[in-house]
Amino acid sequence: MSKNKINPSLFLDDEFEEVKLTPEKVICLGMEFESEDARRAYFREELRKKLPELKQVEGFPIGEDNDIINLSDPPYYTACPNPWLNDFIAEWEKEKEELEAQGKRKKNFEVKMPYASDVSEGKNNPIYMAHAYHTKVPHPAIMRYILHYTQPGDIVFDGFCGTGMTGVAAQICGSKKDVDALGEKKAKIGVRHAVCSDLSPIASLIAASYNLKFNPQEFERKANAILKQVEEELGWMYETEVNGKKAKINCTIWSDVFICPSCGKEINLWSESVDVKNSTIKDQFSCPHCGTYCSKKNIEKAWETIYDYALGKTITVNKKVPVRISYTCNGKRGEKDITKFDIDLLERINQLDTSNLSTLKLKEGYNTIQPIKSNGITHIHQFYTKRNFIYLSRVLELAQKDIHLIIWFTSVCQSTSKMNKFRFTGTGITTGTLYVPSINLEFPAGHTLSRKITSFLGTSYNTRNNTTIGLNSATNIPNLKTSSIDYIFTDPPFGANIMYSELSSIWEGWIKVSTNNREEAIINATQSKTLFEYQTLMSRSLREYYRVLKPGKWLTMEFSNTSAAVWNSIQNAIQGVGFIIANVAALDKKQGSFKAVTTTTAVKQDLVITCYKPTDELMLKFDQSIDKSVNAMDFIEELLVHLPVHLEKDNSTTAVIERSPKILYDRLISYYVQHGYAIPMDAQEFQKGLRERFIERDGMFFTASQALEYEEKKKGTNGIIPMALFISSEAEGIEWLKRELETPQTYSEIQPEWMKAMSTTKKGDVLPELMTILEENFIKDEDGKWRKPDTEKAADLEIIRSRKMMKEFNMYLEQAQKPKTKRMKNTRLEVLRYGFKECYKQKDYKSIILVGDHIQEALLQEDEILLQYYDIASTRV
């Protein structure tokens, strides 16, 4: 802040008074330094030398070199791609040898099955609450996964780290108290190391603050010293007068001014719509000038022209006026309406020249267009009252040398803005938006920062500084070597859920380093990113995940979107790069609970996807084999080994859908198709091979040892909960009938229950009549009862059904070939799946594309099997 722009008498020394501690020697990456300051200075200079090369890496942020370097705390954290990641990994790999010698870890550690227990974690953790962000997963929930998939000393990665909760979880696994609190009986206590990165500068900075070395006493002392100095300089801006005595402002209420549609005069929304006595806000009210009935729907905002010192020009903004103040006078709280004293004070503040205070222009986007159009807000500083902008600028100026102080500062950038909505029941911003309400609360920046000190003291834990953090696009992480990571937990962006870079504009405007959104994996019309671009970016990111993960190791991904199209694009991307999906679970966000789901295509809740990278042994078998079909059952055996044997719910055994022959076959076909191999066998041959090599129990397949374990665990429960709980597709209908027809039934007996179980089908899919499905898949005895076919007869039925489906598919193809045909509204999903598969086997890729282009787009995008064949065919025409 320049003193020649604002009265120099406002400020004390630029350096706030602090007690200097005796520096301690520091060892970092094998080098010794006299102090942390010396270490930081050395590596910042090294980072400066590396910047020209690092700028070629995808996702390099937008900002000046000095701002990027000053924000960094290298080598632990850099506000750009971190060039020291592999150096840390080399050190951590050496530590593993020491831990093995001490008996704290095994050399050949292997996790065969996914974590399948329910998890319930609340969000009221000090670390979770200290700093707001668009999405977060409570670190205790992540700890459960890390404890299951890793051992002490392992290296965990998260390329969409957000606020760094994966890193926090990895490090707190070294706290016996925290691990014991989870109740994980087999947990191996010990610190795990973490590599965290994100495309967002503010996210990576928050992650650094939560993960790097932190001295709470030193932080508290420095933060209080800053506030003490700034209060002495600028505290006068938050004073009011009560009965001739000075009082301190706790908050100020501001109201939009509107124009009456009838008489054209101004209406103060607060005065006409808010009833303070009865704590109510009216939806409709009369114009105080002409009596016309008004509501926010039929009145327009009033606009005014003001001089903006920060921009050095006049601007037009919506008119807001202060209306009421909450204050403290002689230790007592009270409220009052705005007086002349308050108006004069605000006018004095408005005359202050702030031309040397930095600000950032908003980029036009999905979220940013709202404040631009509704409020005339074009720059970051306009989200604040002038006094809060001046106060915050001064605090940031004094906090620049310490990332923990900078993050403490950014933690109030939302709550001190005009986005705070007035409510009689409390306050808060509208999450996922940059919405400025018509009646908002202005909280003094100093009060809010003071309260936040306590919040940040609660983020201290003893096992910090075992994580390294950088700023990268997950699509390309050249600074991380291949097969170097032991486990990945990640919560990436999902479709159009959240426009991260736009919503981060306010924070990043303050720190002067902003997101390069070219590789931001979202669906955003302003960025010209559709589902296709999103899927491409996610596929590239997952390809990097696959590259850096060690063979045989696991990836866990949280999926936070209810769109089937996005869900299927994620599944395709995961399988397309080589991962094998082993388990899908649902996340109940209200309770923070992960629960097993009954179908891999149901997108009813947030999901958690668990997959693994095939072992070296399996990949070697495929590489060395000319006839890939001989490896089919080897693939299935490795998959079965990685699937949960038993899931318990309400003291009953829940069927593991991934062990059903249909899902196993889908996984096999996906693997072969994505690797360009010929499809090894049809469904009937596959099921025959399953029965010859594995053991079937309750419609699921197991290895011999797994079958014994399943039988033992099943004994202690009240029975089995079947797989298919509802019918929303032909395949689900067939599975449902197989279960129901364990005991033969007549059509009239089946039909009522069938109707009860029916659910909404995918758009564009047609669920055949019950009789059609029965005739194509089941046997009708002489007594009129339908039953499951015998194994010998099932093959004949499959041939008949296949002929019927191919005949119907050819009708779709014939329709698609007509010159003026439109998209077909109703098609059978199972027929399309069968036809696409047969066309793929015949290398008839043109027919796949032709039919795909003429069915409902939603059906193609929302079915992972159709989309998989279509994507492959598109690359081969």
Side-chain angles (χ1 to χ4, degrees), residues 756-772:
K756 289 179 185 177
M758 282 180 60
S759 183
T760 305
T761 60
K762 293 178 179 178
K763 184 178 179 181
D765 183 23
V766 174
L767 183 64
E769 291 294 331
L770 170 60
M771 184 59 74
T772 302

Side-chain angles (χ1 to χ4, degrees), residues 347-386:
E347 183 57 32
R348 177 185 167 194
I349 296 169
N350 283 337
Q351 295 305 313
L352 294 175
D353 185 349
T354 55
S355 57
N356 269 23
L357 301 187
S358 64
T359 187
L360 183 74
K361 186 176 182 179
L362 287 178
K363 296 178 181 178
E364 188 169 327
Y366 177 84
N367 289 123
T368 54
I369 197 65
Q370 192 277 329
I372 292 172
K373 286 189 173 181
S374 298
N375 308 94
I377 293 176
T378 60
H379 289 71
I380 298 304
H381 71 283
Q382 294 163 352
F383 278 101
Y384 301 87
T385 60
K386 190 163 184 177

Side-chain angles (χ1 to χ4, degrees), residues 87-305:
D87 297 300
F88 280 106
I89 287 174
E91 279 198 353
W92 295 338
E93 287 293 340
K94 289 179 182 178
E95 286 180 23
K96 288 181 181 180
E97 297 174 6
E98 298 174 12
L99 291 172
E100 287 165 11
Q102 297 168 14
K104 294 180 180 179
R105 59 176 281 129
K106 298 178 181 178
K107 188 172 185 64
N108 298 312
F109 178 72
E110 183 181 8
V111 178
K112 292 186 176 180
M113 288 187 293
Y115 186 85
S117 300
D118 286 351
V119 176
S120 181
E121 297 296 344
K123 299 178 180 179
N124 294 323
N125 186 289
I127 296 175
Y128 186 94
M129 300 296 291
H131 199 298
Y133 193 63
H134 319 301
T135 57
K136 283 183 283 187
V137 180
H139 71 268
I142 306 174
M143 284 176 66
R144 295 181 186 274
Y145 288 92
I146 292 176
L147 289 166
H148 177 81
Y149 290 109
T150 68
Q151 57 180 336
D154 273 352
I155 302 167
V156 180
F157 176 62
D158 187 351
F160 294 97
C161 75
T163 58
M165 292 298 109
T166 297
V168 172
Q171 295 175 116
I172 294 184
C173 284
S175 165
K176 185 177 186 304
K177 177 183 176 182
D178 289 282
V179 173
D180 287 348
L182 297 176
E184 297 290 342
K185 297 178 182 178
K186 296 181 180 180
K188 195 79 171 177
I189 299 169
V191 168
R192 279 72 167 166
H193 299 288
V195 176
C196 293
S197 66
D198 200 281
L199 185 67
S200 163
I202 186 60
S204 60
L205 182 61
I206 298 170
S209 177
Y210 280 156
N211 284 277
L212 302 189
K213 190 180 295 184
F214 177 61
N215 184 324
Q217 292 78 26
E218 184 178 357
F219 163 77
E220 183 179 22
R221 179 175 54 78
K222 287 183 175 180
N224 280 323
I226 289 174
L227 287 185
K228 181 176 182 294
Q229 177 164 333
V230 180
E231 275 297 309
E232 290 178 14
E233 296 171 350
L234 301 173
W236 61 270
M237 295 193 299
Y238 302 95
E239 291 179 348
T240 187
E241 190 175 80
V242 179
N243 298 325
K245 297 180 181 178
K246 284 189 177 181
K248 294 298 291 183
I249 295 174
N250 300 320
C251 73
T252 303
I253 300 174
W254 292 73
S255 171
D256 276 355
V257 177
F258 289 84
I259 300 296
C260 174
S262 179
C263 67
K265 293 184 178 179
E266 290 188 348
I267 301 174
N268 183 314
L269 185 64
W270 168 270
S271 302
E272 305 310 321
S273 68
V274 178
D275 183 345
V276 175
K277 185 177 180 181
N278 296 306
S279 299
T280 59
I281 301 177
K282 304 172 190 175
D283 290 328
Q284 295 180 324
F285 48 87
S286 299
C287 171
H289 309 292
C290 68
T292 298
Y293 222 39
C294 299
S295 73
K296 284 182 66 178
K297 294 179 181 179
N298 71 344
I299 56 177
E300 298 291 335
K301 289 183 177 181
W303 293 79
E304 63 179 347
T305 300

Side-chain angles (χ1 to χ4, degrees), residues 488-747:
I488 297 173
F489 184 97
T490 193
D491 178 19
F494 288 101
N497 268 19
I498 297 171
M499 305 296 124
Y500 286 85
S501 61
E502 293 180 20
L503 293 173
S504 296
S505 296
I506 293 180
W507 291 314
E508 294 178 359
W510 284 103
I511 62 176
K512 302 179 187 177
V513 182
S514 55
T515 303
N516 180 344
N517 63 18
R518 183 176 176 181
E519 275 79 35
E520 185 178 20
I522 58 173
I523 297 173
N524 184 305
T526 306
Q527 296 181 25
S528 299
K529 290 176 182 173
T530 65
L531 179 61
F532 175 79
E533 282 76 26
Y534 167 76
Q535 183 177 354
T536 300
L537 288 164
M538 282 305 304
S539 180
R540 289 174 57 199
S541 300
L542 286 163
R543 196 171 299 282
E544 278 293 85
Y545 276 12
Y546 188 87
R547 179 183 68 81
V548 302
L549 188 65
K550 294 176 181 176
K553 299 299 184 179
W554 294 81
L555 177 149
T556 302
M557 177 188 291
E558 183 184 349
F559 177 84
S560 305
N561 191 299
T562 55
S563 165
V566 175
W567 163 238
N568 285 319
S569 71
I570 285 292
Q571 285 201 100
N572 273 346
I574 289 173
Q575 294 178 111
V577 302
F579 285 113
I580 311 299
I581 296 175
N583 184 247
V584 180
L587 167 63
D588 180 349
K589 276 198 169 178
K590 280 189 177 179
Q591 302 299 324
S593 172
F594 295 92
K595 302 175 182 177
V597 292
T598 57
T599 170
T600 55
T601 55
V603 189
K604 303 291 184 182
Q605 307 173 62
D606 291 346
L607 301 172
V608 172
I609 311 165
T610 302
C611 53
Y612 64 92
K613 182 175 179 177
T615 60
D616 282 334
E617 291 78 10
L618 180 66
M619 289 189 282
L620 188 61
K621 284 182 181 179
F622 275 96
D623 289 341
Q624 294 179 344
S625 175
I626 297 175
D627 181 6
K628 309 299 183 185
S629 64
V630 301
N631 304 122
M633 290 301 151
D634 293 328
F635 171 85
I636 293 298
E637 182 167 10
E638 179 165 298
L639 176 55
L640 290 176
V641 167
H642 285 82
L643 296 177
V645 171
H646 173 267
L647 296 174
E648 192 174 317
K649 181 179 180 181
D650 301 327
N651 200 31
S652 295
T653 298
T654 301
V656 180
I657 188 69
E658 287 83 2
R659 289 186 176 274
S660 71
K662 179 185 181 303
I663 299 300
L664 291 173
Y665 187 56
D666 286 347
R667 294 283 184 261
L668 177 73
I669 296 301
S670 291
Y671 187 82
Y672 273 69
V673 170
Q674 297 290 0
H675 286 78
Y677 305 148
I679 293 176
M681 60 191 69
D682 62 25
Q684 225 33 60
E685 292 172 317
F686 176 75
Q687 290 202 29
K688 182 181 177 183
L690 276 181
R691 290 187 174 89
E692 289 175 348
R693 185 157 171 178
F694 305 107
I695 298 172
E696 184 177 8
R697 293 288 185 271
D698 299 320
M700 298 175 286
F701 284 87
F702 301 86
T703 63
S705 60
Q706 288 177 333
L708 286 172
E709 182 183 346
Y710 176 75
E711 291 290 353
E712 286 299 314
K713 290 186 175 180
K714 185 181 171 184
K715 287 179 183 178
T717 63
N718 295 329
I720 182 169
I721 299 175
M723 295 179 196
L725 300 180
F726 55 86
I727 304 163
S728 63
S729 70
E730 186 174 349
E732 289 173 348
I734 292 169
E735 292 299 319
W736 185 89
L737 284 166
K738 284 180 181 178
R739 182 191 74 184
E740 292 297 310
L741 295 178
E742 290 287 347
T743 302
Q745 299 178 55
T746 64
Y747 178 85

